[in-house]
Structure formats: structure tokens, C-alpha cells
Amino acid sequence: MKIDEIFSVKNKVAVVTGGSRGIGEMIASAYLANGARVYITSRKADICDAKAIELSERYDAQCISLPSDLSSVEGIDSFVRDVESLEESIDILVNNAGAAWAEPIDKFTERGWDKVMDLNVKSVFFSTQKFLPLLRKSASQDDPARVINIGSIDGIGTPVFETYPYSASKASVHHMTRVLAARLVKENILVNAIAPGPFPSDMLGAAVEHNYEGIISRNPVHRMGRAEDVGGLAIYLSSKAGSYTVGETITCDGGTISSSGHDLSE
Ligand SMILES: NC(=O)c1ccc[n+]([C@@H]2O[C@H](COP(=O)([O-])OP(=O)(O)OC[C@H]3O[C@@H](n4cnc5c(N)ncnc54)[C@H](OP(=O)(O)O)[C@@H]3O)[C@@H](O)[C@H]2O)c1
């Protein structure tokens, strides 16, 4: 029952998509700080490479950059081949890379729809599918492999912005999590999702010109999400402590969803 044992990710091998910044970097950092080896990927190779060097040095750990574009099955195949050339098995897959697109309802474009759906939904399924051989090799009843999908509270509640496919994509991620969990639990691969609320990142920052004051004032705990909030949850879901939690979507939002409908003014 010691924390070092039940929450350990030591010597685990993790893949974090979109690990070059934002929430993916926060989750990768939590693993690296606690003795895991972490593969990160993103499209911009120079930024991904520099981030892997920075995180390796900061945590005295192994963070490896394998840049790729996961919006197509071709890109996913190439990324999985790169990981396969370096590892015989992986313990944890975090499907975090995601995109958002906002346009007024009358002008919403097919391009915006497809960009969001391809990365947020299609790539979550095919990344999981293509990594199954490596996940299967580490999976056992005593120590199951893990898949963590990053959804969003916008897939549970109604979003503030006109991001129609984004909400649909994240609701899809949450339900796909249950369906994949039901199938893969038979092979000792546990699938869960995290539904973050507001975390400072390029994605959210772009929507509010990097001024988070309005978001903070509306949040029940009056702050943005921190690296340890989402990193701690990822560690729980990746460790012994989380090995009886299957098919869940866990919010990490300061109480936004559970407080919705409640008047927060004092
Ligand atoms: N921040 C929030 O408040 C919030 C709230 C709820 C849910 N989320 C979810 O959390 C996840 C991370 O979001 P974030 O806010 O951290 O976003 P972000 O700062 O924009 O980071 C996105 C990451 O994904 C990578 N990426 C984007 N397109 C890619 C592609 N086609 N192939 C491979 N990598 C790609 C980006 O690198 P490149 O641009 O170099 O490819 C980057 O590393 C997303 O799924 C998002 O929907 C975020």
C-alpha cells in the first residue's frame, strides 16, 4: 500500500502523442519525473526534438522525439514503425494529439470539420489499433497495459465557442473509450479517458488571446489546470492504483462539469 509501489510508473515505456507542448508535455513530464521512458511525437520536428532534449535533461530521464503527422493512417503507420524499431513492447499509449477549429455555424467549412475529426477521432482509433501488437507484448493480468485517450469537457457539456466538430469529436472519444475498453480488457489492455477542463496551451490560448482571466473567474476553483492535475491523473491511470478502473472518462476540470447549472456567484 506504499505510494511508491501502487502509483509507480518506474521503468514503464510510454508513448505520448502531441507531447511537444501543452497537456501532452505535462503528461510526458509526469512520467519522466517518475522513472518512465517516454516517446513523444508532433508534426514540427525541430520543436519536438528540442522538447525531448529539454525534458530528458530536466528529469534526468529518456525522452525520445519521433516526429510524425498522425492525421492520416500513413503517418500513424510510419510513427508506429519508428517506435517498433526501438522498443519490443510499450506499456502506455496516451492518445493526446488533438486539434480545435471554430467558425460561425453558417460558415463552418468541411476543411475544419475533417481536420478535427481526422485527428481527434480517426487517429485515436488507428493509433490504438496500430500500437496493439506492442501493447499486447507488455500486457498481463497482474500488470495490464494502458491506453489513455484525452477527451474534453466540451464532449460532455456545451462549449463556449462555436467548435461543432470539436465537441462531437470529444464525445466520440469518450464513447470510443468505453467500446475499446470492453474489447481490449479481454487482452489485459485497459482503456480510459481524461476529459480536461481549461489548461493553458497553444490551443486554448489561441481562442482567448492568451488571457485566461475570464476562464479563471468562471471556474469553480478559480484557476487553470496545472501540470500536476493532469499528470497525476495520468499516473494514477497508468499504475497499479488504476488497474481496476476500466472504460471511464474522468474529468479534470476544477468542478466545471459537476457544478454546471449551479449559480457560482456569491
Ligand atoms: N488545453 C485545454 O484546455 C484542453 C481542454 C480539453 C481537452 N484538451 C485536449 O488535450 C489535448 C492536447 O491539447 P493542448 O491544449 O495541449 O493543445 P496544443 O497545445 O495545441 O498541443 C497539441 C499537440 O498535438 C500536436 N499535434 C497537432 N496536430 C498533430 C498531428 N496531425 N500529428 C501529430 N501531432 C499533432 C502538436 O504539435 P504540432 O503542432 O507540432 O503537430 C502539439 O504537440 C487535445 O486532445 C485537446 O483536445 C485540451
Side-chain angles (χ1 to χ4, degrees):
M1 279 295 175
K2 292 281 190 191
I3 274 182
D4 283 357
E5 202 193 318
I6 60 177
F7 284 94
S8 175
V9 291
K10 203 169 177 199
N11 298 325
K12 298 274 183 197
V13 178
V15 171
V16 181
T17 70
S20 69
R21 60 174 196 252
I23 288 178
E25 179 186 348
M26 296 175 199
I27 292 173
S29 298
Y31 291 145
L32 289 162
N34 290 285
R37 182 160 65 248
V38 180
Y39 291 84
I40 58 172
T41 189
S42 71
R43 289 164 304 175
K44 296 178 197 93
D46 48 344
I47 292 176
C48 199
D49 293 349
K51 184 57 67 177
I53 292 168
E54 179 194 324
L55 295 182
S56 297
E57 286 173 1
R58 185 181 308 155
Y59 297 108
D60 191 19
Q62 262 186 296
C63 183
I64 302 107
S65 160
L66 297 173
S68 59
D69 183 346
L70 302 179
S71 60
S72 72
V73 171
E74 198 184 4
I76 295 168
D77 272 331
S78 147
F79 176 53
V80 174
R81 273 198 305 274
D82 286 347
V83 176
E84 271 169 348
S85 71
L86 297 166
E87 296 289 342
E88 286 187 358
S89 65
I90 66 164
D91 302 288
I92 304 158
L93 169 64
V94 182
N95 288 311
N96 163 79
W101 189 295
E103 274 179 316
I105 191 160
D106 289 304
K107 293 184 181 164
F108 210 100
T109 55
E110 185 179 9
R111 188 165 154 250
W113 183 276
D114 288 346
K115 182 185 163 81
V116 169
M117 284 296 182
D118 282 353
L119 186 62
N120 296 11
V121 183
K122 189 175 78 176
S123 95
V124 170
F125 177 78
F126 284 105
S127 296
T128 305
Q129 180 200 58
K130 308 277 178 193
F131 272 114
L132 279 178
L134 291 186
L135 288 162
R136 282 182 179 123
K137 283 189 198 152
S138 77
S140 69
Q141 190 187 21
D142 190 48
D143 190 9
R146 315 297 166 96
V147 176
I148 301 172
N149 297 325
I150 305 303
S152 170
I153 57 167
D154 285 357
I156 301 172
T158 308
V160 176
F161 306 105
E162 288 194 90
T163 49
Y164 304 99
Y166 184 76
S167 297
S169 74
K170 293 301 183 176
S172 171
V173 166
H174 301 161
H175 196 57
M176 182 165 44
T177 297
R178 287 180 207 109
V179 176
L180 288 172
R183 169 63 182 82
L184 294 175
V185 71
K186 297 171 187 170
E187 301 190 57
N188 297 312
I189 299 169
L190 310 186
V191 187
N192 288 286
I194 295 173
F199 281 72
S201 75
D202 281 13
M203 182 191 283
L204 183 59
V208 294
E209 292 169 344
H210 294 275
N211 178 354
Y212 298 113
E213 288 309 316
I215 293 173
I216 290 169
S217 70
R218 287 192 299 273
N219 191 278
V221 299
H222 300 299
R223 67 170 175 85
M224 298 295 286
R226 296 178 185 139
E228 56 267 34
D229 298 321
V230 72
L233 193 44
I235 284 185
Y236 159 71
L237 288 173
S238 305
S239 63
K240 221 172 226 177
S243 62
Y244 207 49
T245 298
V246 181
E248 293 296 329
T249 294
I250 304 176
T251 56
C252 185
D253 67 349
T256 305
I257 289 295
S258 62
S259 306
S260 75
H262 180 76
D263 183 359
L264 293 171
S265 56
E266 292 184 46

PDB file of all heavy atoms in Angstrom, residues 27-40:
ATOM      1  N   ILE A  27       1.817  15.576 -19.336  1.00  0.00           N
ATOM      2  CA  ILE A  27       1.715  14.136 -19.042  1.00  0.00           C
ATOM      3  C   ILE A  27       3.078  13.461 -19.235  1.00  0.00           C
ATOM      4  O   ILE A  27       3.517  12.661 -18.397  1.00  0.00           O
ATOM      5  CB  ILE A  27       0.622  13.489 -19.921  1.00  0.00           C
ATOM      6  CG1 ILE A  27      -0.756  14.020 -19.495  1.00  0.00           C
ATOM      7  CG2 ILE A  27       0.665  11.961 -19.826  1.00  0.00           C
ATOM      8  CD1 ILE A  27      -1.912  13.597 -20.393  1.00  0.00           C
ATOM      9  N   ALA A  28       3.772  13.817 -20.316  1.00  0.00           N
ATOM     10  CA  ALA A  28       5.106  13.248 -20.550  1.00  0.00           C
ATOM     11  C   ALA A  28       6.026  13.587 -19.374  1.00  0.00           C
ATOM     12  O   ALA A  28       6.786  12.736 -18.895  1.00  0.00           O
ATOM     13  CB  ALA A  28       5.677  13.791 -21.862  1.00  0.00           C
ATOM     14  N   SER A  29       5.936  14.815 -18.883  1.00  0.00           N
ATOM     15  CA  SER A  29       6.792  15.250 -17.765  1.00  0.00           C
ATOM     16  C   SER A  29       6.513  14.425 -16.514  1.00  0.00           C
ATOM     17  O   SER A  29       7.446  14.051 -15.789  1.00  0.00           O
ATOM     18  CB  SER A  29       6.546  16.733 -17.457  1.00  0.00           C
ATOM     19  OG  SER A  29       6.875  17.512 -18.570  1.00  0.00           O
ATOM     20  N   ALA A  30       5.227  14.153 -16.255  1.00  0.00           N
ATOM     21  CA  ALA A  30       4.878  13.366 -15.060  1.00  0.00           C
ATOM     22  C   ALA A  30       5.486  11.967 -15.142  1.00  0.00           C
ATOM     23  O   ALA A  30       6.014  11.455 -14.152  1.00  0.00           O
ATOM     24  CB  ALA A  30       3.354  13.280 -14.926  1.00  0.00           C
ATOM     25  N   TYR A  31       5.441  11.356 -16.319  1.00  0.00           N
ATOM     26  CA  TYR A  31       6.039  10.024 -16.479  1.00  0.00           C
ATOM     27  C   TYR A  31       7.562  10.098 -16.316  1.00  0.00           C
ATOM     28  O   TYR A  31       8.163   9.281 -15.617  1.00  0.00           O
ATOM     29  CB  TYR A  31       5.711   9.453 -17.863  1.00  0.00           C
ATOM     30  CG  TYR A  31       4.259   9.083 -18.093  1.00  0.00           C
ATOM     31  CD1 TYR A  31       3.673   9.263 -19.339  1.00  0.00           C
ATOM     32  CD2 TYR A  31       3.485   8.525 -17.079  1.00  0.00           C
ATOM     33  CE1 TYR A  31       2.353   8.903 -19.568  1.00  0.00           C
ATOM     34  CE2 TYR A  31       2.158   8.164 -17.308  1.00  0.00           C
ATOM     35  CZ  TYR A  31       1.601   8.359 -18.556  1.00  0.00           C
ATOM     36  OH  TYR A  31       0.298   8.005 -18.777  1.00  0.00           O
ATOM     37  N   LEU A  32       8.180  11.083 -16.993  1.00  0.00           N
ATOM     38  CA  LEU A  32       9.641  11.190 -16.968  1.00  0.00           C
ATOM     39  C   LEU A  32      10.158  11.452 -15.555  1.00  0.00           C
ATOM     40  O   LEU A  32      11.171  10.890 -15.139  1.00  0.00           O
ATOM     41  CB  LEU A  32      10.088  12.321 -17.905  1.00  0.00           C
ATOM     42  CG  LEU A  32       9.921  12.025 -19.396  1.00  0.00           C
ATOM     43  CD1 LEU A  32       9.964  13.313 -20.213  1.00  0.00           C
ATOM     44  CD2 LEU A  32      10.997  11.052 -19.878  1.00  0.00           C
ATOM     45  N   ALA A  33       9.437  12.291 -14.818  1.00  0.00           N
ATOM     46  CA  ALA A  33       9.864  12.623 -13.447  1.00  0.00           C
ATOM     47  C   ALA A  33       9.789  11.411 -12.534  1.00  0.00           C
ATOM     48  O   ALA A  33      10.363  11.421 -11.440  1.00  0.00           O
ATOM     49  CB  ALA A  33       8.994  13.752 -12.898  1.00  0.00           C
ATOM     50  N   ASN A  34       9.079  10.390 -12.979  1.00  0.00           N
ATOM     51  CA  ASN A  34       8.870   9.219 -12.127  1.00  0.00           C
ATOM     52  C   ASN A  34       9.437   7.928 -12.739  1.00  0.00           C
ATOM     53  O   ASN A  34       8.944   6.834 -12.468  1.00  0.00           O
ATOM     54  CB  ASN A  34       7.382   9.080 -11.811  1.00  0.00           C
ATOM     55  CG  ASN A  34       6.939  10.199 -10.884  1.00  0.00           C
ATOM     56  OD1 ASN A  34       7.238  10.168  -9.696  1.00  0.00           O
ATOM     57  ND2 ASN A  34       6.276  11.211 -11.432  1.00  0.00           N
ATOM     58  N   GLY A  35      10.452   8.094 -13.587  1.00  0.00           N
ATOM     59  CA  GLY A  35      11.255   6.938 -13.994  1.00  0.00           C
ATOM     60  C   GLY A  35      10.785   6.180 -15.216  1.00  0.00           C
ATOM     61  O   GLY A  35      11.268   5.076 -15.475  1.00  0.00           O
ATOM     62  N   ALA A  36       9.856   6.760 -15.997  1.00  0.00           N
ATOM     63  CA  ALA A  36       9.434   6.085 -17.239  1.00  0.00           C
ATOM     64  C   ALA A  36      10.273   6.600 -18.413  1.00  0.00           C
ATOM     65  O   ALA A  36      10.844   7.691 -18.357  1.00  0.00           O
ATOM     66  CB  ALA A  36       7.955   6.335 -17.507  1.00  0.00           C
ATOM     67  N   ARG A  37      10.318   5.809 -19.471  1.00  0.00           N
ATOM     68  CA  ARG A  37      10.919   6.250 -20.743  1.00  0.00           C
ATOM     69  C   ARG A  37       9.755   6.681 -21.628  1.00  0.00           C
ATOM     70  O   ARG A  37       8.761   5.944 -21.734  1.00  0.00           O
ATOM     71  CB  ARG A  37      11.705   5.100 -21.375  1.00  0.00           C
ATOM     72  CG  ARG A  37      12.390   5.465 -22.656  1.00  0.00           C
ATOM     73  CD  ARG A  37      13.535   4.528 -23.028  1.00  0.00           C
ATOM     74  NE  ARG A  37      13.111   3.170 -23.313  1.00  0.00           N
ATOM     75  CZ  ARG A  37      13.388   2.119 -22.560  1.00  0.00           C
ATOM     76  NH1 ARG A  37      14.070   2.277 -21.447  1.00  0.00           N
ATOM     77  NH2 ARG A  37      12.979   0.910 -22.883  1.00  0.00           N
ATOM     78  N   VAL A  38       9.898   7.848 -22.271  1.00  0.00           N
ATOM     79  CA  VAL A  38       8.736   8.414 -22.965  1.00  0.00           C
ATOM     80  C   VAL A  38       9.070   8.792 -24.404  1.00  0.00           C
ATOM     81  O   VAL A  38      10.045   9.509 -24.652  1.00  0.00           O
ATOM     82  CB  VAL A  38       8.201   9.664 -22.214  1.00  0.00           C
ATOM     83  CG1 VAL A  38       6.993  10.252 -22.944  1.00  0.00           C
ATOM     84  CG2 VAL A  38       7.824   9.322 -20.778  1.00  0.00           C
ATOM     85  N   TYR A  39       8.248   8.324 -25.325  1.00  0.00           N
ATOM     86  CA  TYR A  39       8.331   8.724 -26.735  1.00  0.00           C
ATOM     87  C   TYR A  39       7.286   9.805 -26.979  1.00  0.00           C
ATOM     88  O   TYR A  39       6.115   9.619 -26.628  1.00  0.00           O
ATOM     89  CB  TYR A  39       8.063   7.521 -27.652  1.00  0.00           C
ATOM     90  CG  TYR A  39       9.184   6.528 -27.589  1.00  0.00           C
ATOM     91  CD1 TYR A  39       9.236   5.559 -26.581  1.00  0.00           C
ATOM     92  CD2 TYR A  39      10.233   6.587 -28.511  1.00  0.00           C
ATOM     93  CE1 TYR A  39      10.302   4.670 -26.498  1.00  0.00           C
ATOM     94  CE2 TYR A  39      11.299   5.696 -28.431  1.00  0.00           C
ATOM     95  CZ  TYR A  39      11.322   4.745 -27.424  1.00  0.00           C
ATOM     96  OH  TYR A  39      12.379   3.885 -27.340  1.00  0.00           O
ATOM     97  N   ILE A  40       7.724  10.931 -27.549  1.00  0.00           N
ATOM     98  CA  ILE A  40       6.765  11.982 -27.886  1.00  0.00           C
ATOM     99  C   ILE A  40       6.755  12.177 -29.404  1.00  0.00           C
ATOM    100  O   ILE A  40       7.761  11.939 -30.075  1.00  0.00           O
ATOM    101  CB  ILE A  40       7.072  13.327 -27.175  1.00  0.00           C
ATOM    102  CG1 ILE A  40       8.477  13.850 -27.514  1.00  0.00           C
ATOM    103  CG2 ILE A  40       6.884  13.182 -25.666  1.00  0.00           C
ATOM    104  CD1 ILE A  40       8.742  15.276 -26.990  1.00  0.00           C
TER     105      ILE A  40
END
